[in-house]
């Protein structure tokens, strides 16, 4: 079955880069996503990558995919206090079912 | 273009009552998903529906829980005879065919 794992917590200083890591088990994944959840809110889609890509950049966000190791990372450049949130990695395999990780809580220290 | 709309945002029920959670997908989206999030935990898939059809309900408890997505109107997640353990945030997401899911802001269900 599908399983997605993330570290629970990450703390960085404002202006530094943040790297949030994720591992997954389903080798048939077609899409991999990063969502952001702020307190009391739903999940906001940040970015996603097709499984046949190894990198995607979108402004301050860089997604790296190592399909061989089933490892996905999200790098946030110049991290700001507004980036403090929980970040969820998710994978989609097959029709539409998406499996989410447990989330990484990012704390940005001013 | 309005996003995924869920209501109510907060719902309080006593043990044994029924809870009805509503979700209006984004315009043009024919796929709806329900997830449950317990405090300090990730999202757990419950059910995936298309118009008038349940495609996958493998994450939904067999008893007391049901979901529908009628031809007209919102998708409804219904929990009968609620218990304390049903307290959670319930999120709805929608998508068009083979596209990323977009989430609503959730319904926070509290059971007294």
């Amino acid at each position: 079955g599908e399983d997605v794992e993330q570290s629970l917590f990450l703390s960085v200083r404002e202006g530094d880069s943040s790297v949030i890591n994720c591992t997954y088990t389903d080798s048939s994944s077609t899409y991999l996503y990063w969502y952001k959840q702020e307190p009391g809110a739903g999940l906001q889609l940040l970015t996603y990558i097709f499984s046949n890509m190894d990198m995607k950049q979108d402004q301050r966000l860089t997604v790296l995919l190592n399909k061989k190791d089933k490892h996905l990372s999200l790098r946030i450049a110049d991290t700001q206090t507004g980036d403090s949130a929980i970040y969820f990695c998710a994978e989609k395999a097959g029709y539409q079912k998406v499996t989410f990780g447990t989330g990484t809580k990012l704390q940005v220290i001013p | 273009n309005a996003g995924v709309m869920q209501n109510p945002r907060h719902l309080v029920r006593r043990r044994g009552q029924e809870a009805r959670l509503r979700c209006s997908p984004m315009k043009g989206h024919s796929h709806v998903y329900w997830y449950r999030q317990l405090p300090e935990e990730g999202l757990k898939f419950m059910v995936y529906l298309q118009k008038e059809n349940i495609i996958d309900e493998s994450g939904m408890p067999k008893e007391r829980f049901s979901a529908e997505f009628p031809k007209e109107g919102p998708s409804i997640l219904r929990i009968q005879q609620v218990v304390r353990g049903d307290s959670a945030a319930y999120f709805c997401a929608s998508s068009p065919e083979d596209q990323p899911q977009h989430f609503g802001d959730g319904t926070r269900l509290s059971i007294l």
Side-chain angles (χ1 to χ4, degrees):
Chain A
E2 311 92 359
D3 194 19
V4 179
E5 293 191 356
Q6 301 177 238
S7 53
L8 291 179
F9 190 76
L10 176 66
S11 180
V12 298
R13 293 203 174 276
E14 191 174 17
D16 289 350
S17 291
S18 309
V19 179
I20 303 171
N21 294 301
C22 169
T23 56
Y24 60 97
T25 57
D26 194 334
S27 57
S28 64
S29 295
T30 51
Y31 293 87
L32 295 123
Y33 308 102
W34 283 105
Y35 285 86
K36 176 184 180 183
Q37 185 180 33
E38 296 185 66
L43 274 69
Q44 173 196 355
L45 178 66
L46 282 179
T47 186
Y48 63 98
I49 189 168
F50 295 104
S51 59
N52 62 358
M53 297 168 65
D54 50 23
M55 187 182 94
K56 180 178 180 181
Q57 187 151 6
D58 183 0
Q59 300 182 337
R60 292 191 297 123
L61 305 179
T62 303
V63 178
L64 294 177
L65 174 61
N66 181 330
K67 200 171 179 182
K68 174 177 168 289
D69 294 338
K70 301 190 186 71
H71 182 267
L72 182 75
S73 68
L74 173 70
R75 178 176 180 269
I76 306 172
D78 187 25
T79 312
Q80 302 298 306
T81 53
D83 295 324
S84 294
I86 300 175
Y87 290 80
F88 290 94
C89 166
E91 65 159 353
K92 175 182 166 240
Y95 58 87
Q96 283 278 21
K97 185 175 177 179
V98 175
T99 303
F100 286 83
T102 51
T104 299
K105 188 171 185 177
L106 174 65
Q107 179 188 47
V108 182
I109 303 166
Chain B
N1 186 14
V4 178
M5 303 300 292
Q6 288 188 250
N7 69 82
R9 287 296 308 277
H10 300 274
L11 182 61
V12 180
R13 285 287 178 266
R14 294 189 181 279
R15 281 180 296 171
Q17 291 184 321
E18 178 181 288
R20 290 171 70 91
L21 288 62
R22 294 175 193 77
C23 170
S24 295
M26 286 180 70
K27 188 176 179 181
H29 289 192
S30 57
H31 302 255
V32 165
Y33 318 80
W34 286 93
Y35 296 85
R36 177 162 63 177
Q37 185 179 34
L38 294 171
E40 307 298 321
E41 293 190 13
L43 273 72
K44 299 296 183 189
F45 168 80
M46 297 181 74
V47 61
Y48 160 42
L49 310 102
Q50 293 181 25
K51 282 285 186 184
E52 299 185 279
N53 287 305
I54 295 175
I55 308 301
D56 181 350
E57 56 183 347
S58 60
M60 198 156 68
K62 295 282 186 287
E63 295 179 356
R64 301 190 298 109
F65 285 73
S66 62
E68 62 177 13
F69 187 18
K71 189 175 179 182
E72 300 291 337
S75 175
I76 306 286
L77 179 68
R78 184 179 176 211
I79 311 172
Q80 295 178 289
Q81 298 175 322
V82 295
V83 300
R84 288 245 170 89
D86 296 332
S87 294
Y90 291 83
F91 289 96
C92 171
S94 73
S95 73
E97 184 75 35
D98 203 31
Q99 292 292 321
Q101 297 173 22
H102 293 263
F103 281 78
D105 284 337
T107 294
R108 277 139 187 90
L109 177 64
S110 298
I111 309 302
L112 301 180

